Amino acid sequence: MAKKTINDFAQMVDKGEKIVYLTAYDYLTAKMQEKAGVDMILVGDSLGMVSLGYDTTFPVTMDDMVRHCQAVRRGAPNTFIVGDMPYMSYQTSNEQAIANAGRLVKEAQADCVKLEGGGPMIAERIKAIQQAGILVMGHIGLTPQLMGQIGGYRAQGRSAAGAMKLVDQAKVVENAGAFSILIEGVPAAVGKAITERAGIPIMGIGAGSYTHGQLLIYADMVGLYDNFTPKFVKKYANVGEVLTNAFKQYADEVRTAQFPEDGEHTYNMKEEEIKEFLTLLDKA
Ligand code: KIV
C-alpha cells in the first residue's frame, strides 16, 4: 500500500474514518505494524523508557531519536512516520529547533516531527519549523517533557478552567501551523471539544473515543512494558509472558541438554569427512 500523506489524513477525517497510530522504536516492530496496516507510526521519545530503560524521557538525545527513526523507516518504508523531538532539542531557539527537526527528516526520513506544549514559545517553534518546510504535529495535555510544571504524570484538563486552557492551547498550536495535534491524558469531554473545534486531524492517547485518530504505546498494548500501565491502555496481547516463558523453556532445555537435538538443530558432515577428520585429529 502507498504511504499516506496529509491529504489522505484530511480525507479520512472528512469521511469519518479513524486514523490508526502506534509507536515503534525498532525495525522488526515497524515491519509488523506496516504489515498490519497501521496508518501512522510515532517514534516517540518514550523509547527512553521502553527501549533504553530510563525512568523518564529526559535523557533521550537527538542521536537516539535519529538512530531509532532510521530503524523504523527501514522496517516501514511505506508508512507515515512521526519523529519525536526529545527534551531540549527545540526549546533553546528557533534555529536549534529547525536544525534538529531537519535531522529527523534528512537523516532518518521522518515525514514530520512532533513537539510538546501549547504556549507562545512553542507556537514560535512550530511556526519556524513549518516555515522551514517541515510538517509539525503538536502535542498537548499530559506532556511528559513538562512533567514538573504539570504536576507529574497525571491526567490534565479535569477542571473547567484546565479544560478551557487546553482548548485555547489547541487553537494556538493549530494557528501556529501544526498539521495535526496529539492530545494526551485528558477527559473524553475535552478530547471531544478540541476535536469539534479543530480544522486539522486530532489524534488522541487517553483522550476518549471522539478524536480523529487513536495512538497507543505499542509496548503497553502488547503487554511488553509492565513497569507502569496507564488507565487508558487496552492490552491486546501478553507478549511479555510469551517471551519470558520461551526464555525459561530455553534455559531449562540448555541446562538439561535437551537443546540442541542432534540432527534437528545441528549441521551434518559426511561419514567419510568425519573419519578423515578423526584421523587428522589423532595425528595432530
Ligand atoms: O514519546 C511518546 O511515545 C509520546 C506519547 C506518549 C504520546 O509522545
Side-chain angles (χ1 to χ4, degrees), residues 37-38 47 71 75 79 135 140 149 154-155 161 222 250 265-266 273 278:
V38 167
L47 82 85
T79 304
L135 289 173
I140 60 170
Q149 286 184 346
R154 52 212 294 268
V222 299
Y250 168 72
H265 311 112
T266 52
E273 293 295 336
L278 293 177

Side-chain angles (χ1 to χ4, degrees), residues 1-5 8-9 12 17-22 33-34 36-42 73 76 78-82 111 203 212-214:
M1 213 170 38
K3 184 168 44 159
K4 292 200 168 69
T5 66
D8 296 310
F9 296 129
M12 287 172 81
E17 289 173 11
K18 294 283 186 183
I19 302 167
V20 180
Y21 191 17
L22 272 177
Q33 291 184 1
E34 182 161 293
V38 167
D39 297 311
M40 195 185 270
I41 295 178
L42 168 65
R73 172 53 79 210
N78 298 316
T79 304
F80 188 94
I81 292 179
V82 182
D111 294 292
M203 314 300 293
H212 300 124
Q214 290 292 333

Side-chain angles (χ1 to χ4, degrees), residues 23 25 42-47 57 84 114 116 139 142 144 153 182 184 205 215 217 232:
T23 69
Y25 316 101
L42 168 65
V43 186
D45 63 353
S46 51
L47 82 85
T57 58
D84 217 0
K114 172 173 88 56
E116 297 182 11
H139 178 175
L142 199 178
Y153 193 87
L182 172 69
E184 177 172 358
I205 174 165
L215 170 70
I217 293 192
F232 55 78

Side-chain angles (χ1 to χ4, degrees), residues 100-148:
N100 282 325
R103 283 194 67 192
L104 289 173
V105 173
K106 193 179 168 98
E107 296 176 39
Q109 293 157 52
D111 294 292
C112 85
V113 300
K114 172 173 88 56
L115 41 92
E116 297 182 11
M121 183 270 271
I122 294 300
E124 209 191 296
R125 300 290 180 270
I126 292 173
K127 202 181 243 176
I129 298 171
Q130 195 267 343
Q131 282 176 353
I134 296 171
L135 289 173
V136 183
M137 175 178 284
H139 178 175
I140 60 170
L142 199 178
T143 41
Q145 290 179 24
L146 298 167
M147 191 112 88

